Structures are given as structure tokens and as C-alpha cells.
Amino acid sequence: MKRLYKNLIPVAAISMALGMASCTSDLDVEPLDPNMSTEVSVEGLFNKCYANIAMAGNGGANGDCDIDGIDGGTSGYVRQMWNSNELPTDEAINGWGDDGIEQSCFNTYDESHPMLNGYFARLTTGITFCNQYLAIAADHDATMTAEVRFIRALNYYLLMDAFGRVPFAESLGNPVIFSRQEIYDWLENELVNNVEPNLSPAKAKKSSDAGYGRVDKAAAWILLSRLYLNAEVYTGTPQWAKAAEYAKRVMDSDYRLNTTSINGWSAYQMLFMGDNGETDAAYEAIFPILQDGLTTTSWGTSLFLSAGSFDSDMHANPNNLSATNGVSGQMWGGNRARPNLIQKFFPNLDAPQAPSYEMPAAAGDDRAIFDGVGREINNLDRATFKNGYAVAKFVNFKTDGSSGHDATFMDADFFFFRTAEAYLTYAEATARQNGGTCTADGIKAINALRARAHATQRSGYSLNDILDEWSREFYFEGRRRVDLIRFGKFGGNTDYIWQWKGGTYQGRNFDAYRNIYAIPAAQLPAYNNEQNPGY
């Protein structure tokens, strides 16, 4: 039973709602009234800090959005994180005509990009909810306070990663602008000294267990390992040893890779299914974002990941060839793979035109969950969904073959942090400490992921191999841009090109300043109208 997010109450977004703007073409909107006074409860405020990641607002998918003037589905936390980290990369392309989609796919985004403005607003709204809880209830319960401080740190981390400089406040006062170095230093101190010591012990859970969906010490370790893994990008100083240290804590914890297959569904596929909170897949989820087709609904979380990648011609259930993705009528036909992603599994781009349940066998890797039926492998036309193999990774089927318990909305939780991340972080960090050569323990860690996927074991991995392995394991999970930047493969004069990179079909490099997004125009007054360099 998924207990979190129950009995939510309205909470006013105040102080840090910095000119929140629409993710549609209408940017002339106002932030929620900063003077609105609402009677609150500690439990309601606590739940709201979590729920900002899972839902657009208190009413779920079809209720009011917490960000005034923004469509609730488009403004979803996971959806905007995904758009910002997948569409500009070698993994995903989208054919919709929504304002900003083409700019993301072609790496031509600027300060007028509406969805980046929405992403900024969603993150700062989440920070406000956390600051409001801390202002009212910081002394109520030490563990709850540590969880809220973790969520606030996560919001600050994502804001810093995307936009560089951050409007920062630890209270409901006026924020000041922190540099990347300053916010990095704050994040490290906050997570190490104020968050991790007071979180619950690291304990893997299923949805039937108390605390499922709430963060514990392992969440702090995985976020610290990600912070340290990217430290050279953020501060100019690498922290490989610390990245490996915190990744190893996760690897040695109660959390573990799912290696159990049920009814023909692979152990990897089970991580992205409608009952992923009820099977052993849940033991890999360090921070599951809860979704329930009846009580916790969203157009911008798991449903977006599934419906946005399916059309009605796709059939992902080998036990029911007339079924699509496990939800009724939610096949939006937008996001699909770029050829470079398919090439990670088929180096010669000879992937068959096969359904998703047959593709893993052809690839020799359970993670190759692609649909090629009637599709062109190249993205000849951005607007044509069948120009590109489809990704059938996220479905609402349960391991018994049935669908979720609502026809429209997903039961599949979104695993924001998975234990598998620690394995690749450890392998990469120790390889970088070892002159770019994977260590014996690093090889063992990567091979554990490949063994789970029934992929061939290897005796060694270069850094480029590790980057490819990041894609094989985590494609379409909302992190690819970060990995490409860390490896020097995104902006600047790189040796890595993909179709439509920089806005041309053949692909071309774009300037390195685009490794950081422009401060959205609506937010610039808080920055004294000082834009990020290059824009």
C-alpha cells in the first residue's frame, strides 16, 4: 500500500516563487500570491515536499497546478527533468510541435525557452515548500526534518546542474544568488553534516513496508556520489575518491540489484512496470516516486514516460498481443530513440524490425527494449514518430500480465535513484583514479549489471565503454545530458556527433556555453538581469 501523499492540503508557494512562468507559449503569468495565508498541518507540509516531485498539484493529474499559469501535465517535475536531460542528447528526439521541443532537440535553447522556465519554476517551488516546512516544523521530528532537507538539497542540486548559478535561501526570506562553487559547498556540507546523520538507516523496502517512498541514508549517499562524480564539471576540482566511497556505501547496503525474473518479464524490465513497488524490483529503488492510478495520478511522471514513447501500433506484452503499454488510450507518439542509442546495442545498426519483447534476444541484452516494427532507424524527420525506433521501457503491465488498476493512469513508480547507479559510479570513479583503466573491482561492478541483463561479460572497460554502459543501463531515465557533459561529449569541440545535434541532420558541434542553460527571461530580475555567459 502506498501511504505517502495522503491528505494533502493547499500550501502557498512564497518567497522563492521567482516569477514562475508557463510551460506553454503564454509566458505572461504571475506567481502564486506570496501573501496567501493557509492553515497547514505538519503532516500536510511534509507530504507536500515529496508530492511536488510526483504530482502537479494537490488535485493530482486533473487538479490545480502548483505553478500558476502552467499546464499541470507539462509542468511535471520528472517530465521537465527528462526533457532537459534527454531531448538535447544522443538518446531521444521528439516530434511534437510544442513550443520549445525543437529547440531542445536541436540544441538551440535560449532564455525564452518555455519548458526550461517551467523546470526552473518547479524546482524553486519545491524549495519553497521545503523551506516552509522547516520554518514551521523543523523541531517536530528529526528524521522528517532530515528528509525535507534532503528533498530541498535535491532541488538545489538539479537547479545548479541545469542553470549554474542558483537563487539560494534556507528560509522564507529573500534569496541571494550563489555561484556553482558556493552551492556545491553548501550541498556537500548539508548532506554530510545535516541530512545523512538524521535519516533512517538504509533499508530496502516494498510498497507494503512502512517508509516505502521516503528517503533514508542511502538516498544521501547516492546524491553525494552523483555530486562528487560531477565535481570537476561543477567546481573544476575532481573528487573521484569521494564519489567511489559513497557509491560503495550504497553497494554494501541493504539495497540491491533486482535479479529476479517473473513470467518471462526480465529482471531489468521489472524495474519499469506497474507492480515495480510490489516485486523484488522495489529493493533496487533508493527513491521511488510513487504513482497510483487511483490515488496518486500525474500526466507528467510515469505516464509521460510510457505514453510519450508509445503509439497504438506498439505491443509490449508478449502474453497479450493486442495490448499496448497497459493504459487505455494513452499512446501519445512523441519521444523515440536516436540511432546512437540503438547503436549501443547494435553496433552495426542492424537492429531488426521486431517488437520490443523480441528485441532483447536479438541484441543479446535484456535492456534493449525497443520496438522496430514498421520503423525507420534514422530520424529523417523530427516530426515523424516512426522515424526512429520506439522505446517500450516504461509500461503499466504487471508481472502477471495484467494491466494496472486504472485504465488511464499508471501504477508504475518512477525510480528516481536506483542502486545500479552506484555500480557505474564506482566503476567510473575508480577507473579515473586509475588513469582511465577500469580496476578489477570496477569491472566486477559493471559485469554485475551486464549479468543481470544476460549480456556478455567483458574483461576490461575503457572510459568510453563506461559512458556507453551508462546509456545502456539508464537510457530515457532523465540523466544523459549530465553524463555526456562529464565525458566532454556534449557542448564544445567534441569528437561525438549524433543526428540533429546542433540542428542539422548530419549533426554538428555546438558551443560549450550550452552545457549550462540560460537563466529563463522571467527569472532574470532575481539575478540583477545578469545572464549566463554566451546567451
Side-chain angles (χ1 to χ4, degrees):
M1 180 181 298
K2 299 172 183 177
R3 300 178 177 88
L4 215 54
Y5 316 145
K6 292 178 64 179
N7 303 318
L8 289 178
I9 56 175
V11 181
I14 60 179
S15 295
M16 290 220 24
L18 300 174
M20 297 173 187
S22 171
C23 290
T24 67
S25 58
D26 178 13
L27 299 179
D28 299 322
V29 297
E30 297 295 328
L32 298 179
D33 183 357
N35 299 309
M36 184 171 67
S37 177
T38 308
E39 184 178 351
V40 297
S41 74
V42 170
E43 181 180 295
L45 282 171
F46 177 75
N47 282 342
K48 190 64 182 179
C49 296
Y50 277 99
N52 180 62
I53 305 175
M55 298 184 291
N58 292 342
N62 297 318
D64 292 336
C65 181
D66 287 327
I67 303 174
D68 191 31
I70 301 178
D71 170 74
T74 307
S75 74
Y77 191 112
V78 172
R79 180 170 179 167
Q80 290 306 333
M81 180 185 73
W82 193 96
N83 284 337
S84 71
N85 288 325
E86 292 288 351
L87 291 182
T89 76
D90 62 334
E91 287 188 352
I93 194 167
N94 182 289
W96 295 334
D98 303 41
D99 194 7
I101 290 287
E102 181 175 283
Q103 290 86 349
S104 291
C105 294
F106 292 172
N107 312 101
T108 57
Y109 37 81
D110 58 22
E111 66 182 31
S112 67
H113 196 288
M115 284 184 287
L116 289 172
N117 191 19
Y119 186 38
F120 190 106
R122 178 60 68 179
L123 293 172
T124 53
T125 299
I127 292 166
T128 297
F129 292 145
C130 293
N131 280 343
Q132 190 170 22
Y133 175 90
L134 295 171
I136 294 172
D139 296 330
H140 174 73
D141 180 275
T143 301
M144 290 171 66
T145 293
E147 291 178 48
V148 170
R149 293 181 79 150
F150 171 86
I151 295 169
R152 182 178 64 176
L154 175 61
N155 289 327
Y156 271 129
Y157 169 78
L158 293 174
L159 198 66
M160 176 268 287
D161 174 77
F163 300 101
R165 295 177 296 142
V166 170
F168 180 80
E170 292 185 273
S171 66
L172 293 174
N174 292 325
V176 297
I177 302 302
F178 267 26
S179 67
R180 255 189 170 179
Q181 180 70 63
E182 289 173 319
I183 198 64
Y184 177 95
D185 292 342
W186 178 85
L187 283 166
E188 181 179 30
N189 179 70
E190 177 76 351
L191 290 166
V192 171
N193 296 316
N194 299 322
V195 173
E196 191 270 350
N198 294 310
L199 288 174
S200 300
K203 176 66 177 176
K205 311 167 193 71
K206 291 183 180 181
S207 64
S208 56
D209 298 322
Y212 178 74
R214 294 175 60 173
V215 296
D216 59 26
K217 289 183 184 295
W221 299 336
I222 200 77
L223 182 54
L224 277 165
S225 71
R226 188 181 290 193
L227 180 72
Y228 289 134
L229 188 67
N230 293 286
E232 188 171 23
V233 173
Y234 300 146
T235 71
T237 302
Q239 296 288 356
W240 309 122
K242 289 182 178 180
E245 173 193 346
Y246 280 94
K248 192 66 164 59
R249 291 191 190 187
V250 175
M251 295 167 67
D252 293 339
S253 76
D254 190 58
Y255 289 92
R256 55 212 184 257
L257 300 178
N258 180 45
T259 57
T260 302
S261 301
I262 297 179
N263 293 334
W265 299 99
S266 72
Y268 182 78
Q269 175 74 84
M270 286 171 60
L271 300 168
F272 315 103
M273 295 180 66
D275 58 353
N276 57 356
E278 290 71 61
T279 67
D280 285 358
Y283 294 143
E284 186 167 331
I286 294 172
F287 185 20
I289 306 304
L290 308 190
Q291 296 288 279
D292 183 282
L294 296 177
T295 63
T296 309
T297 60
S298 169
W299 298 107
T301 311
S302 297
L303 182 60
F304 164 73
L305 297 172
S306 182
S309 301
F310 270 76
D311 67 9
S312 59
D313 294 332
M314 296 167 62
H315 303 284
N317 188 341
N319 302 311
N320 183 353
L321 301 186
S322 65
T324 52
N325 56 352
V327 285
S328 178
Q330 302 303 323
M331 290 76 71
W332 306 343
N335 301 312
R336 74 272 191 196
R338 301 204 199 209
N340 296 66
L341 174 55
I342 305 302
Q343 200 165 24
K344 301 296 184 291
F345 298 92
F346 296 92
N348 298 318
L349 282 179
D350 55 352
Q353 290 184 308
S356 59
Y357 49 81
E358 295 179 1
M359 196 69 73
D365 194 318
D366 290 345
R367 299 170 294 186
I369 310 174
F370 307 113
D371 186 289
V373 178
R375 298 181 182 277
E376 159 64 50
I377 205 166
N378 292 303
N379 308 136
L380 301 172
D381 177 16
R382 182 187 70 86
T384 301
F385 183 61
K386 284 185 167 56
N387 277 191
Y389 273 35
V391 173
K393 183 172 179 175
F394 299 91
V395 296
N396 205 38
F397 299 119
K398 298 182 180 181
T399 46
D400 64 4
S402 66
S403 298
H405 58 259
D406 182 82
T408 301
F409 295 106
M410 300 276 283
D411 291 337
D413 298 332
F414 173 66
F415 292 175
F416 200 105
F417 290 119
R418 300 199 276 118
T419 307
E421 178 175 340
Y423 282 68
L424 285 174
T425 295
Y426 180 81
E428 180 186 334
T430 52
R432 290 185 184 274
Q433 288 179 283
N434 194 40
T437 300
C438 205
T439 65
D441 286 341
I443 294 169
K444 183 178 178 181
I446 297 176
N447 278 341
L449 298 180
R450 293 182 62 84
R452 186 255 294 276
H454 298 99
T456 304
Q457 303 286 280
R458 298 183 182 178
S459 59
Y461 297 91
S462 67
L463 285 177
N464 280 338
D465 291 334
I466 294 173
L467 177 60
D468 287 347
E469 208 62 40
W470 275 113
S471 186
R472 292 187 190 99
E473 182 68 29
F474 284 99
Y475 69 90
F476 270 51
E477 293 184 52
R479 63 167 294 140
R480 184 57 171 173
R481 170 187 151 272
V482 182
D483 295 328
L484 288 174
I485 290 172
R486 187 174 67 257
F487 278 82
K489 305 289 187 180
F490 193 65
N493 186 24
T494 79
D495 61 355
Y496 188 47
I497 301 296
W498 54 85
Q499 285 179 9
W500 297 110
K501 181 182 183 182
T504 69
Y505 174 72
Q506 296 79 11
R508 63 184 178 187
N509 284 323
F510 54 86
D511 290 334
Y513 72 80
R514 293 188 182 276
N515 286 346
I516 298 176
Y517 285 118
I519 304 300
Q523 318 299 340
L524 277 173
Y527 288 79
N528 294 319
N529 293 312
E530 295 179 4
Q531 183 54 268
N532 282 334
Y535 290 100

